[in-house]
Amino acid sequence: MDRILLQGLQFYAYHGVNPEEQALGQRFQVDLCLGLDLRPAGQTDDLSQTVNYSAVYRRVRQVVEGERFRLLEALAERLAAVLLAEFPLATVTVRVTKLHPPLQGAVQGTVAVEITRERA
């Protein structure tokens, strides 16, 4: 399976369980691996034979910034479902990262969820 990778897409949004996350918001990062056959596009140099990653970015931005979820798992599932429904993908891997998680203590890391889904 060939892949198109979109990495490091950052958005400001209001997802989280804690009331302050829902009120103040925070930065999220989305990384995508879109699985499909890229041979037709490679052979024809024709955008219509592949997935327009600018359109994918716009759709991801609409979901991340326009909808609200308590769990990263729910956001990742929604993104996977939208991308599989709206683009000619065989598989999609979605990683959603909370860049500054509200954990107690001196935490400088991130928290992420990664899922892989296939077209039914």
Side-chain angles (χ1 to χ4, degrees):
M1 181 68 50
D2 302 319
R3 300 173 296 171
I4 295 175
L5 304 173
L6 285 82
Q7 299 176 312
L9 309 178
Q10 292 194 12
F11 307 97
Y12 196 88
Y14 299 85
H15 310 295
V17 173
N18 299 319
E20 59 272 12
E21 293 177 292
Q22 296 171 14
L24 301 174
Q26 60 190 299
R27 295 205 72 71
F28 293 84
Q29 180 170 302
V30 175
D31 300 294
L32 303 171
C33 178
L34 312 177
L36 68 156
D37 184 3
L38 297 176
R39 188 175 303 123
Q43 293 172 342
T44 63
D45 199 24
D46 181 359
L47 179 60
S48 71
Q49 298 297 310
T50 187
V51 171
N52 183 330
Y53 52 80
S54 293
V56 170
Y57 170 81
R58 285 191 299 272
R59 192 62 179 103
V60 168
R61 183 177 181 186
Q62 287 174 342
V63 172
V64 175
E65 293 181 350
E67 300 181 27
R68 290 191 179 205
F69 300 91
R70 296 182 57 205
L71 301 178
L72 295 178
E73 294 87 340
L75 175 55
E77 284 288 346
R78 173 72 173 137
L79 288 170
V82 165
L83 294 174
L84 287 170
E86 298 180 14
F87 297 93
L89 304 174
T91 65
V92 62
T93 298
V94 177
R95 179 184 299 143
V96 178
T97 303
K98 191 178 285 190
L99 297 174
H100 303 287
L103 301 173
Q104 293 186 6
V107 176
Q108 293 186 2
T110 61
V111 173
V113 169
E114 181 175 284
I115 64 169
T116 300
R117 300 293 178 262
E118 298 179 359
R119 182 172 302 285

